[in-house]
Amino acid sequence: MNVKAIRDSYLERCARRRIFDLGDVAVGWGAIFAGCDFFAGYPITPATEIAEFLARELPMAGGRFIQMEDELASMSAVIGAAWGGGKAMTATSGPGFSLMQENIGYAVMTETPCVVVDVQRSGPSTGQATKPAQGDMMQARWGTHGDHEMVALCPNSAQECFDLTIRAFDIARSLRMPVMLMLDGEIGHLRETFDLRSPPRMDLPVPPDPSAAQPFGGEPVPPLVKFGEARYLHVTGSTHKPDGTRDVTTPEVHDALVRRLCRKVEQSRAALKDVEKDIPVDARTVVLCYGAPSRPALAAVADARKQGLKVGLLRLKTVWPFPGDELASLPGSVRTVLVPEMNMGQLSREAERYTDMDVRCISKIGGVTHTRKEILAPILEVG
Amino acid sequence: MVPAGVPISEHPLTRYLRPGTMPSSFCPGCGCGMVLNALLRAVDHLKLDPKEMVMVTGIGCSSWIPSPMFKCDTLHTTHGRAVAFATGVKLMMPGKKVLIVAGDGDLAGIGGNHLVHAAHRNMDLGVIMVNNAIYGMTGGQCSPTTPAGMLSTTTPFGNLDPPMAVSELLASAGANFVARWTTYHVRQLSRSIEELLTGEGFRFLEIISQCPTHFGKDARKEPAEVLEQYRQSSVPFSKDKGTAEAPDEMAMTVGTIADRQGKGYVRRLEQAEARWRGPPVRVDKKEGKI
């Protein structure tokens, strides 16, 4: 029985089931439904449940799971598996995410499609190891060295964990790059109902046919190539020409490569944008949120409206690239943008780059999510 | 043997090389060219199809042996991680020959953890560690295999540590095949590389190699003198004694250190997968159960 038959039979048995389980487990199911056939990881709270689920289910769905010796190795094996033709993923939390950064940069430079899940916990360092946070949002964007663009998605429910995992794989292959799925410990360990379904697909660019472009060329995305196709690929994290050969001294070669790597994300900005918004035309305040705090934020906005305040809600499901145009196009009546974050102000600072309005972070650290009152109070304060 | 004056493009082994990669970027007298030669001869002797091979390399001079020279799918990775990258490749492409070529600093230094774990898993990989006992590419810093007392740019008063016995370590960790030779032993090198490319499990070859540019800068020897020294100080590995009696501190044991028939990781995994999955399940669409 070949691997495809095993997978098809497994998916047929599971499709349309309704599950009550953790956000982490929903990520695991999403991976299987996205066609993930390779997972390498290392245990870490609060992401371990993803590895545990896939250790059990991935072999049954025709894929392979391996527990590596550390997160450096996990990210390495994921990239190796992707070049071996796999749809590969790893999952970790802050300390492991830090260890993966060098190889995430390698995946950017070699244009390796893969998915990295970070179930964020409270740092720096070991911090509050079992407690949630959103402290890695800037690390997702800038954690690896050198100029690069990044794609990061941010679910706020178990259903979105499932849906956005599938989307992360789609984007990774469409743009031939690593995609970050940024949960927080609250969402990863939240237990709720989700459906194993076919989520709405994004209208993403299709990579060119391998006959139409060089393996590391193409404008802006190169073709999806892999080992074993008699192409004698030369894959390197060093600066390379469109055929893959190393050229680390010619300024124009580096310039053309790195600018194209950034351009492929920049050009897909509109396709990648995914926001949920409810902003009245006469809004005076907008709550910009993502992940766990978006849940109390939704309640706080409803409370404020009951009290007659003109408040809008803008929730980001795609965090990177940051949808700055949404801020630039807010109604002229808006005076304040409030950003509840489980950190000391990461996306609120990014928001400041796109608007002259008063942007305030509602910061919450300590391993707990905001209560609705903690978001309502600043809304009432700014009126 | 190719007669003098014949262009390199007509050498019978150049068909294994990417066009335009010769002459190599190695320093005059470097051992990496000899390792490449032994590798090509092994591949040629086994009549392997490069389409069925994947080479994985790290960062350092010796990683430039297959990357970019050997014409097959090649993954030139981050520093120290070649073995972990190769593990991912092998698990997705179990039918391919996956061979790693890297140096002592890359494999035993920054990547030591991956090396030990791959040996412990008996992961089906071939590894060539070109051990020049120095960080050559960065200009001659001390490595885990630099002999005690040796001067380097980061041990200006002599290295405090003894050299790490990498081959013995991996034999203990569970590798199926472990051998050590020097660049003097070119025929043994080819035969050992054939061993890496034929059996299952983790298969490791340490090649003691000269770095005329950076190793022992302060007491520089001609490459040919170094090879002669390798010949004189090589002691065959003795199974009876576990290791050879070293006649002096510069002596090195050479030969096959471990040759076991343990099941490789891929075979254990494939057998387990068949067990876990069991016979094909009939799907009851109404029930929709797993």
PDB file of all heavy atoms in Angstrom, chain A residues 12-13 17 59 64 69 103 106 227-228 232-236 246, chain B residues 18 67-68 73-74 76 78 91 93 113-114 121 273 277 285 288 290:
ATOM      1  N   GLU A  12     -10.094  10.307   4.304  1.00  0.00           N
ATOM      2  CA  GLU A  12     -11.491   9.962   4.037  1.00  0.00           C
ATOM      3  C   GLU A  12     -12.197   9.568   5.334  1.00  0.00           C
ATOM      4  O   GLU A  12     -13.348   9.909   5.572  1.00  0.00           O
ATOM      5  CB  GLU A  12     -11.538   8.809   3.026  1.00  0.00           C
ATOM      6  CG  GLU A  12     -12.872   8.695   2.309  1.00  0.00           C
ATOM      7  CD  GLU A  12     -12.854   7.564   1.291  1.00  0.00           C
ATOM      8  OE1 GLU A  12     -11.752   7.175   0.837  1.00  0.00           O
ATOM      9  OE2 GLU A  12     -13.933   7.065   0.976  1.00  0.00           O
ATOM     10  N   ARG A  13     -11.453   8.844   6.184  1.00  0.00           N
ATOM     11  CA  ARG A  13     -12.040   8.402   7.441  1.00  0.00           C
ATOM     12  C   ARG A  13     -12.291   9.570   8.401  1.00  0.00           C
ATOM     13  O   ARG A  13     -13.183   9.520   9.225  1.00  0.00           O
ATOM     14  CB  ARG A  13     -11.107   7.385   8.117  1.00  0.00           C
ATOM     15  CG  ARG A  13     -11.336   5.956   7.638  1.00  0.00           C
ATOM     16  CD  ARG A  13     -10.334   5.032   8.295  1.00  0.00           C
ATOM     17  NE  ARG A  13      -9.054   5.076   7.608  1.00  0.00           N
ATOM     18  CZ  ARG A  13      -7.878   4.934   8.199  1.00  0.00           C
ATOM     19  NH1 ARG A  13      -7.798   4.779   9.491  1.00  0.00           N
ATOM     20  NH2 ARG A  13      -6.772   4.960   7.481  1.00  0.00           N
ATOM     21  N   ARG A  17     -15.225  15.402  10.397  1.00  0.00           N
ATOM     22  CA  ARG A  17     -15.463  15.130  11.823  1.00  0.00           C
ATOM     23  C   ARG A  17     -15.468  16.430  12.607  1.00  0.00           C
ATOM     24  O   ARG A  17     -14.818  17.405  12.234  1.00  0.00           O
ATOM     25  CB  ARG A  17     -14.348  14.227  12.377  1.00  0.00           C
ATOM     26  CG  ARG A  17     -14.556  12.758  12.063  1.00  0.00           C
ATOM     27  CD  ARG A  17     -13.407  11.945  12.601  1.00  0.00           C
ATOM     28  NE  ARG A  17     -13.384  11.908  14.063  1.00  0.00           N
ATOM     29  CZ  ARG A  17     -12.340  11.517  14.784  1.00  0.00           C
ATOM     30  NH1 ARG A  17     -11.239  11.156  14.189  1.00  0.00           N
ATOM     31  NH2 ARG A  17     -12.399  11.504  16.093  1.00  0.00           N
ATOM     32  N   PRO A  59       2.139   8.953  11.334  1.00  0.00           N
ATOM     33  CA  PRO A  59       2.465   7.677  10.667  1.00  0.00           C
ATOM     34  C   PRO A  59       1.221   7.004  10.089  1.00  0.00           C
ATOM     35  O   PRO A  59       1.289   6.370   9.034  1.00  0.00           O
ATOM     36  CB  PRO A  59       3.060   6.821  11.791  1.00  0.00           C
ATOM     37  CG  PRO A  59       3.507   7.789  12.821  1.00  0.00           C
ATOM     38  CD  PRO A  59       2.568   8.961  12.739  1.00  0.00           C
ATOM     39  N   ARG A  64       5.860  10.964   8.353  1.00  0.00           N
ATOM     40  CA  ARG A  64       6.917  10.550   9.271  1.00  0.00           C
ATOM     41  C   ARG A  64       7.158  11.600  10.338  1.00  0.00           C
ATOM     42  O   ARG A  64       7.209  12.787  10.049  1.00  0.00           O
ATOM     43  CB  ARG A  64       8.211  10.263   8.511  1.00  0.00           C
ATOM     44  CG  ARG A  64       8.101   8.942   7.800  1.00  0.00           C
ATOM     45  CD  ARG A  64       9.336   8.472   7.140  1.00  0.00           C
ATOM     46  NE  ARG A  64       9.139   7.060   6.823  1.00  0.00           N
ATOM     47  CZ  ARG A  64       9.848   6.380   5.951  1.00  0.00           C
ATOM     48  NH1 ARG A  64      10.826   6.962   5.303  1.00  0.00           N
ATOM     49  NH2 ARG A  64       9.589   5.108   5.734  1.00  0.00           N
ATOM     50  N   GLU A  69      17.263  15.851  18.505  1.00  0.00           N
ATOM     51  CA  GLU A  69      18.012  16.075  19.742  1.00  0.00           C
ATOM     52  C   GLU A  69      17.860  17.499  20.267  1.00  0.00           C
ATOM     53  O   GLU A  69      18.168  17.761  21.429  1.00  0.00           O
ATOM     54  CB  GLU A  69      19.493  15.724  19.551  1.00  0.00           C
ATOM     55  CG  GLU A  69      20.178  16.371  18.369  1.00  0.00           C
ATOM     56  CD  GLU A  69      19.999  15.582  17.070  1.00  0.00           C
ATOM     57  OE1 GLU A  69      19.118  14.711  17.031  1.00  0.00           O
ATOM     58  OE2 GLU A  69      20.737  15.854  16.099  1.00  0.00           O
ATOM     59  N   ASN A 103      18.443  28.744  11.154  1.00  0.00           N
ATOM     60  CA  ASN A 103      17.977  27.906  10.051  1.00  0.00           C
ATOM     61  C   ASN A 103      16.704  28.438   9.402  1.00  0.00           C
ATOM     62  O   ASN A 103      16.413  28.113   8.248  1.00  0.00           O
ATOM     63  CB  ASN A 103      17.784  26.462  10.524  1.00  0.00           C
ATOM     64  CG  ASN A 103      19.119  25.740  10.637  1.00  0.00           C
ATOM     65  OD1 ASN A 103      20.057  26.053   9.907  1.00  0.00           O
ATOM     66  ND2 ASN A 103      19.204  24.806  11.548  1.00  0.00           N
ATOM     67  N   TYR A 106      18.120  30.368   6.852  1.00  0.00           N
ATOM     68  CA  TYR A 106      18.572  29.478   5.771  1.00  0.00           C
ATOM     69  C   TYR A 106      17.396  29.116   4.858  1.00  0.00           C
ATOM     70  O   TYR A 106      17.532  29.093   3.632  1.00  0.00           O
ATOM     71  CB  TYR A 106      19.187  28.210   6.378  1.00  0.00           C
ATOM     72  CG  TYR A 106      19.695  27.225   5.347  1.00  0.00           C
ATOM     73  CD1 TYR A 106      21.006  27.293   4.869  1.00  0.00           C
ATOM     74  CD2 TYR A 106      18.859  26.234   4.848  1.00  0.00           C
ATOM     75  CE1 TYR A 106      21.465  26.393   3.927  1.00  0.00           C
ATOM     76  CE2 TYR A 106      19.311  25.332   3.897  1.00  0.00           C
ATOM     77  CZ  TYR A 106      20.621  25.414   3.443  1.00  0.00           C
ATOM     78  OH  TYR A 106      21.067  24.514   2.499  1.00  0.00           O
ATOM     79  N   PHE A 227      14.759  17.561  -4.631  1.00  0.00           N
ATOM     80  CA  PHE A 227      15.794  16.592  -4.965  1.00  0.00           C
ATOM     81  C   PHE A 227      15.160  15.394  -5.681  1.00  0.00           C
ATOM     82  O   PHE A 227      13.961  15.153  -5.568  1.00  0.00           O
ATOM     83  CB  PHE A 227      16.502  16.104  -3.707  1.00  0.00           C
ATOM     84  CG  PHE A 227      17.428  17.123  -3.081  1.00  0.00           C
ATOM     85  CD1 PHE A 227      17.935  16.922  -1.800  1.00  0.00           C
ATOM     86  CD2 PHE A 227      17.800  18.273  -3.763  1.00  0.00           C
ATOM     87  CE1 PHE A 227      18.794  17.850  -1.217  1.00  0.00           C
ATOM     88  CE2 PHE A 227      18.662  19.204  -3.188  1.00  0.00           C
ATOM     89  CZ  PHE A 227      19.148  18.989  -1.920  1.00  0.00           C
ATOM     90  N   GLY A 228      16.012  14.661  -6.401  1.00  0.00           N
ATOM     91  CA  GLY A 228      15.549  13.417  -7.011  1.00  0.00           C
ATOM     92  C   GLY A 228      14.889  13.608  -8.355  1.00  0.00           C
ATOM     93  O   GLY A 228      14.255  12.698  -8.862  1.00  0.00           O
ATOM     94  N   TYR A 232      20.234  17.954 -10.412  1.00  0.00           N
ATOM     95  CA  TYR A 232      21.534  18.201  -9.769  1.00  0.00           C
ATOM     96  C   TYR A 232      21.513  19.558  -9.061  1.00  0.00           C
ATOM     97  O   TYR A 232      22.350  20.420  -9.303  1.00  0.00           O
ATOM     98  CB  TYR A 232      22.675  18.131 -10.780  1.00  0.00           C
ATOM     99  CG  TYR A 232      22.680  16.854 -11.585  1.00  0.00           C
ATOM    100  CD1 TYR A 232      22.424  16.864 -12.955  1.00  0.00           C
ATOM    101  CD2 TYR A 232      22.917  15.636 -10.973  1.00  0.00           C
ATOM    102  CE1 TYR A 232      22.416  15.693 -13.693  1.00  0.00           C
ATOM    103  CE2 TYR A 232      22.910  14.455 -11.701  1.00  0.00           C
ATOM    104  CZ  TYR A 232      22.658  14.489 -13.054  1.00  0.00           C
ATOM    105  OH  TYR A 232      22.659  13.328 -13.772  1.00  0.00           O
ATOM    106  N   LEU A 233      20.506  19.747  -8.210  1.00  0.00           N
ATOM    107  CA  LEU A 233      20.334  21.036  -7.535  1.00  0.00           C
ATOM    108  C   LEU A 233      21.527  21.329  -6.642  1.00  0.00           C
ATOM    109  O   LEU A 233      22.065  20.427  -5.992  1.00  0.00           O
ATOM    110  CB  LEU A 233      19.060  21.017  -6.693  1.00  0.00           C
ATOM    111  CG  LEU A 233      17.742  20.949  -7.456  1.00  0.00           C
ATOM    112  CD1 LEU A 233      16.588  20.789  -6.468  1.00  0.00           C
ATOM    113  CD2 LEU A 233      17.539  22.187  -8.324  1.00  0.00           C
ATOM    114  N   HIS A 234      21.908  22.576  -6.610  1.00  0.00           N
ATOM    115  CA  HIS A 234      22.897  23.015  -5.630  1.00  0.00           C
ATOM    116  C   HIS A 234      22.213  24.026  -4.726  1.00  0.00           C
ATOM    117  O   HIS A 234      21.915  25.147  -5.135  1.00  0.00           O
ATOM    118  CB  HIS A 234      24.122  23.631  -6.316  1.00  0.00           C
ATOM    119  CG  HIS A 234      25.203  23.979  -5.344  1.00  0.00           C
ATOM    120  ND1 HIS A 234      25.424  25.261  -4.895  1.00  0.00           N
ATOM    121  CD2 HIS A 234      26.104  23.195  -4.697  1.00  0.00           C
ATOM    122  CE1 HIS A 234      26.426  25.245  -4.027  1.00  0.00           C
ATOM    123  NE2 HIS A 234      26.855  24.008  -3.890  1.00  0.00           N
ATOM    124  N   VAL A 235      21.922  23.603  -3.502  1.00  0.00           N
ATOM    125  CA  VAL A 235      21.179  24.436  -2.557  1.00  0.00           C
ATOM    126  C   VAL A 235      22.169  24.989  -1.545  1.00  0.00           C
ATOM    127  O   VAL A 235      22.880  24.219  -0.894  1.00  0.00           O
ATOM    128  CB  VAL A 235      20.103  23.605  -1.831  1.00  0.00           C
ATOM    129  CG1 VAL A 235      19.299  24.492  -0.888  1.00  0.00           C
ATOM    130  CG2 VAL A 235      19.192  22.903  -2.822  1.00  0.00           C
ATOM    131  N   THR A 236      22.220  26.287  -1.414  1.00  0.00           N
ATOM    132  CA  THR A 236      23.156  26.877  -0.451  1.00  0.00           C
ATOM    133  C   THR A 236      22.558  28.121   0.187  1.00  0.00           C
ATOM    134  O   THR A 236      21.835  28.871  -0.458  1.00  0.00           O
ATOM    135  CB  THR A 236      24.508  27.226  -1.114  1.00  0.00           C
ATOM    136  OG1 THR A 236      25.341  27.861  -0.126  1.00  0.00           O
ATOM    137  CG2 THR A 236      24.355  28.159  -2.302  1.00  0.00           C
ATOM    138  N   ARG A 246      27.197  29.221  -6.055  1.00  0.00           N
ATOM    139  CA  ARG A 246      27.598  30.231  -5.090  1.00  0.00           C
ATOM    140  C   ARG A 246      28.315  31.387  -5.770  1.00  0.00           C
ATOM    141  O   ARG A 246      29.183  31.174  -6.608  1.00  0.00           O
ATOM    142  CB  ARG A 246      28.550  29.534  -4.104  1.00  0.00           C
ATOM    143  CG  ARG A 246      28.680  30.154  -2.774  1.00  0.00           C
ATOM    144  CD  ARG A 246      29.258  29.176  -1.758  1.00  0.00           C
ATOM    145  NE  ARG A 246      30.231  28.245  -2.295  1.00  0.00           N
ATOM    146  CZ  ARG A 246      30.290  26.956  -1.978  1.00  0.00           C
ATOM    147  NH1 ARG A 246      29.442  26.450  -1.122  1.00  0.00           N
ATOM    148  NH2 ARG A 246      31.196  26.167  -2.499  1.00  0.00           N
TER     149      ARG A 246
ATOM    150  N   ARG B  18      30.561  19.081 -11.361  1.00  0.00           N
ATOM    151  CA  ARG B  18      29.811  20.168 -11.995  1.00  0.00           C
ATOM    152  C   ARG B  18      30.754  20.931 -12.918  1.00  0.00           C
ATOM    153  O   ARG B  18      31.894  21.227 -12.526  1.00  0.00           O
ATOM    154  CB  ARG B  18      29.300  21.158 -10.944  1.00  0.00           C
ATOM    155  CG  ARG B  18      28.057  20.724 -10.238  1.00  0.00           C
ATOM    156  CD  ARG B  18      27.616  21.766  -9.229  1.00  0.00           C
ATOM    157  NE  ARG B  18      26.825  21.129  -8.194  1.00  0.00           N
ATOM    158  CZ  ARG B  18      25.517  20.910  -8.290  1.00  0.00           C
ATOM    159  NH1 ARG B  18      24.853  21.332  -9.346  1.00  0.00           N
ATOM    160  NH2 ARG B  18      24.863  20.293  -7.332  1.00  0.00           N
ATOM    161  N   SER B  67      30.338  20.466  -2.490  1.00  0.00           N
ATOM    162  CA  SER B  67      29.569  21.679  -2.752  1.00  0.00           C
ATOM    163  C   SER B  67      30.509  22.806  -3.121  1.00  0.00           C
ATOM    164  O   SER B  67      31.098  23.407  -2.236  1.00  0.00           O
ATOM    165  CB  SER B  67      28.772  22.060  -1.505  1.00  0.00           C
ATOM    166  OG  SER B  67      28.319  23.383  -1.598  1.00  0.00           O
ATOM    167  N   PRO B  68      30.692  23.089  -4.386  1.00  0.00           N
ATOM    168  CA  PRO B  68      29.816  22.738  -5.497  1.00  0.00           C
ATOM    169  C   PRO B  68      30.354  21.651  -6.430  1.00  0.00           C
ATOM    170  O   PRO B  68      29.763  21.422  -7.483  1.00  0.00           O
ATOM    171  CB  PRO B  68      29.791  24.058  -6.271  1.00  0.00           C
ATOM    172  CG  PRO B  68      31.203  24.561  -6.147  1.00  0.00           C
ATOM    173  CD  PRO B  68      31.679  24.090  -4.788  1.00  0.00           C
ATOM    174  N   ASP B  73      22.412  16.158  -6.441  1.00  0.00           N
ATOM    175  CA  ASP B  73      21.660  17.061  -5.571  1.00  0.00           C
ATOM    176  C   ASP B  73      22.503  17.325  -4.331  1.00  0.00           C
ATOM    177  O   ASP B  73      22.936  16.382  -3.648  1.00  0.00           O
ATOM    178  CB  ASP B  73      20.317  16.434  -5.186  1.00  0.00           C
ATOM    179  CG  ASP B  73      19.322  16.476  -6.337  1.00  0.00           C
ATOM    180  OD1 ASP B  73      19.359  17.443  -7.129  1.00  0.00           O
ATOM    181  OD2 ASP B  73      18.508  15.544  -6.452  1.00  0.00           O
ATOM    182  N   THR B  74      22.734  18.600  -4.044  1.00  0.00           N
ATOM    183  CA  THR B  74      23.664  18.971  -2.976  1.00  0.00           C
ATOM    184  C   THR B  74      23.024  20.011  -2.069  1.00  0.00           C
ATOM    185  O   THR B  74      22.458  20.984  -2.541  1.00  0.00           O
ATOM    186  CB  THR B  74      24.954  19.566  -3.585  1.00  0.00           C
ATOM    187  OG1 THR B  74      25.456  18.647  -4.549  1.00  0.00           O
ATOM    188  CG2 THR B  74      26.003  19.793  -2.524  1.00  0.00           C
ATOM    189  N   HIS B  76      24.065  22.466   0.833  1.00  0.00           N
ATOM    190  CA  HIS B  76      25.165  23.123   1.548  1.00  0.00           C
ATOM    191  C   HIS B  76      24.525  23.900   2.700  1.00  0.00           C
ATOM    192  O   HIS B  76      23.876  24.908   2.480  1.00  0.00           O
ATOM    193  CB  HIS B  76      25.892  24.045   0.556  1.00  0.00           C
ATOM    194  CG  HIS B  76      27.001  24.853   1.145  1.00  0.00           C
ATOM    195  ND1 HIS B  76      27.082  26.221   1.000  1.00  0.00           N
ATOM    196  CD2 HIS B  76      28.087  24.496   1.864  1.00  0.00           C
ATOM    197  CE1 HIS B  76      28.174  26.676   1.605  1.00  0.00           C
ATOM    198  NE2 HIS B  76      28.799  25.657   2.138  1.00  0.00           N
ATOM    199  N   THR B  78      23.839  25.109   7.067  1.00  0.00           N
ATOM    200  CA  THR B  78      24.424  26.000   8.072  1.00  0.00           C
ATOM    201  C   THR B  78      25.516  25.249   8.841  1.00  0.00           C
ATOM    202  O   THR B  78      25.599  24.023   8.808  1.00  0.00           O
ATOM    203  CB  THR B  78      23.342  26.487   9.051  1.00  0.00           C
ATOM    204  OG1 THR B  78      22.571  25.359   9.476  1.00  0.00           O
ATOM    205  CG2 THR B  78      22.416  27.485   8.385  1.00  0.00           C
ATOM    206  N   LEU B  91      14.949  10.612   5.551  1.00  0.00           N
ATOM    207  CA  LEU B  91      13.631  10.101   5.934  1.00  0.00           C
ATOM    208  C   LEU B  91      12.597  10.329   4.835  1.00  0.00           C
ATOM    209  O   LEU B  91      11.640   9.566   4.717  1.00  0.00           O
ATOM    210  CB  LEU B  91      13.172  10.733   7.252  1.00  0.00           C
ATOM    211  CG  LEU B  91      13.953  10.271   8.482  1.00  0.00           C
ATOM    212  CD1 LEU B  91      13.429  10.943   9.735  1.00  0.00           C
ATOM    213  CD2 LEU B  91      13.905   8.759   8.632  1.00  0.00           C
ATOM    214  N   MET B  93      13.580  10.519   1.557  1.00  0.00           N
ATOM    215  CA  MET B  93      14.102   9.837   0.371  1.00  0.00           C
ATOM    216  C   MET B  93      14.933   8.635   0.807  1.00  0.00           C
ATOM    217  O   MET B  93      16.161   8.609   0.607  1.00  0.00           O
ATOM    218  CB  MET B  93      14.982  10.791  -0.450  1.00  0.00           C
ATOM    219  CG  MET B  93      14.358  12.133  -0.740  1.00  0.00           C
ATOM    220  SD  MET B  93      15.423  13.140  -1.792  1.00  0.00           S
ATOM    221  CE  MET B  93      14.595  12.931  -3.350  1.00  0.00           C
ATOM    222  N   ASN B 113      26.662  17.417  18.805  1.00  0.00           N
ATOM    223  CA  ASN B 113      25.442  16.800  19.341  1.00  0.00           C
ATOM    224  C   ASN B 113      24.712  15.999  18.259  1.00  0.00           C
ATOM    225  O   ASN B 113      24.289  14.870  18.492  1.00  0.00           O
ATOM    226  CB  ASN B 113      24.534  17.908  19.881  1.00  0.00           C
ATOM    227  CG  ASN B 113      23.442  17.381  20.781  1.00  0.00           C
ATOM    228  OD1 ASN B 113      23.595  16.340  21.398  1.00  0.00           O
ATOM    229  ND2 ASN B 113      22.341  18.094  20.849  1.00  0.00           N
ATOM    230  N   HIS B 114      24.587  16.586  17.072  1.00  0.00           N
ATOM    231  CA  HIS B 114      23.868  15.902  15.984  1.00  0.00           C
ATOM    232  C   HIS B 114      24.608  14.631  15.568  1.00  0.00           C
ATOM    233  O   HIS B 114      24.013  13.602  15.272  1.00  0.00           O
ATOM    234  CB  HIS B 114      23.710  16.826  14.776  1.00  0.00           C
ATOM    235  CG  HIS B 114      23.195  18.186  15.141  1.00  0.00           C
ATOM    236  ND1 HIS B 114      22.065  18.368  15.899  1.00  0.00           N
ATOM    237  CD2 HIS B 114      23.666  19.433  14.872  1.00  0.00           C
ATOM    238  CE1 HIS B 114      21.862  19.662  16.078  1.00  0.00           C
ATOM    239  NE2 HIS B 114      22.817  20.322  15.473  1.00  0.00           N
ATOM    240  N   ARG B 121      21.219   6.746  16.764  1.00  0.00           N
ATOM    241  CA  ARG B 121      20.040   6.250  16.034  1.00  0.00           C
ATOM    242  C   ARG B 121      20.429   5.228  14.970  1.00  0.00           C
ATOM    243  O   ARG B 121      19.563   4.573  14.415  1.00  0.00           O
ATOM    244  CB  ARG B 121      19.355   7.406  15.294  1.00  0.00           C
ATOM    245  CG  ARG B 121      18.666   8.404  16.169  1.00  0.00           C
ATOM    246  CD  ARG B 121      17.906   9.445  15.330  1.00  0.00           C
ATOM    247  NE  ARG B 121      17.404  10.462  16.206  1.00  0.00           N
ATOM    248  CZ  ARG B 121      17.880  11.703  16.286  1.00  0.00           C
ATOM    249  NH1 ARG B 121      18.849  12.097  15.475  1.00  0.00           N
ATOM    250  NH2 ARG B 121      17.379  12.560  17.133  1.00  0.00           N
ATOM    251  N   GLU B 273       6.463   0.964  10.954  1.00  0.00           N
ATOM    252  CA  GLU B 273       5.310   1.581  10.277  1.00  0.00           C
ATOM    253  C   GLU B 273       4.327   0.517   9.794  1.00  0.00           C
ATOM    254  O   GLU B 273       3.113   0.677   9.914  1.00  0.00           O
ATOM    255  CB  GLU B 273       5.784   2.438   9.097  1.00  0.00           C
ATOM    256  CG  GLU B 273       6.359   3.782   9.525  1.00  0.00           C
ATOM    257  CD  GLU B 273       7.027   4.544   8.397  1.00  0.00           C
ATOM    258  OE1 GLU B 273       7.368   3.934   7.354  1.00  0.00           O
ATOM    259  OE2 GLU B 273       7.222   5.770   8.547  1.00  0.00           O
ATOM    260  N   ARG B 277       0.565   0.513  11.271  1.00  0.00           N
ATOM    261  CA  ARG B 277      -0.555   0.787  10.368  1.00  0.00           C
ATOM    262  C   ARG B 277      -1.454  -0.432  10.211  1.00  0.00           C
ATOM    263  O   ARG B 277      -2.648  -0.281   9.968  1.00  0.00           O
ATOM    264  CB  ARG B 277      -0.030   1.220   8.994  1.00  0.00           C
ATOM    265  CG  ARG B 277       0.542   2.626   9.003  1.00  0.00           C
ATOM    266  CD  ARG B 277       1.270   2.937   7.709  1.00  0.00           C
ATOM    267  NE  ARG B 277       1.916   4.247   7.785  1.00  0.00           N
ATOM    268  CZ  ARG B 277       2.949   4.616   7.045  1.00  0.00           C
ATOM    269  NH1 ARG B 277       3.479   3.771   6.175  1.00  0.00           N
ATOM    270  NH2 ARG B 277       3.466   5.821   7.162  1.00  0.00           N
ATOM    271  N   LYS B 285     -18.258   4.785   5.557  1.00  0.00           N
ATOM    272  CA  LYS B 285     -18.483   6.225   5.374  1.00  0.00           C
ATOM    273  C   LYS B 285     -19.528   6.778   6.345  1.00  0.00           C
ATOM    274  O   LYS B 285     -19.466   7.939   6.725  1.00  0.00           O
ATOM    275  CB  LYS B 285     -18.894   6.516   3.928  1.00  0.00           C
ATOM    276  CG  LYS B 285     -17.697   6.420   2.991  1.00  0.00           C
ATOM    277  CD  LYS B 285     -18.019   6.815   1.583  1.00  0.00           C
ATOM    278  CE  LYS B 285     -16.765   6.621   0.733  1.00  0.00           C
ATOM    279  NZ  LYS B 285     -17.028   6.703  -0.688  1.00  0.00           N
ATOM    280  N   GLY B 288     -17.593   6.941   9.802  1.00  0.00           N
ATOM    281  CA  GLY B 288     -16.520   7.932   9.717  1.00  0.00           C
ATOM    282  C   GLY B 288     -15.538   7.851  10.870  1.00  0.00           C
ATOM    283  O   GLY B 288     -14.978   8.842  11.302  1.00  0.00           O
ATOM    284  N   ILE B 290     -12.136   6.684  13.034  1.00  0.00           N
ATOM    285  CA  ILE B 290     -10.727   6.389  12.789  1.00  0.00           C
ATOM    286  C   ILE B 290     -10.466   4.965  13.244  1.00  0.00           C
ATOM    287  O   ILE B 290     -10.737   4.631  14.384  1.00  0.00           O
ATOM    288  CB  ILE B 290      -9.802   7.352  13.561  1.00  0.00           C
ATOM    289  CG1 ILE B 290      -9.979   8.750  13.033  1.00  0.00           C
ATOM    290  CG2 ILE B 290      -8.356   6.940  13.442  1.00  0.00           C
ATOM    291  CD1 ILE B 290      -9.099   9.771  13.725  1.00  0.00           C
TER     292      ILE B 290
END
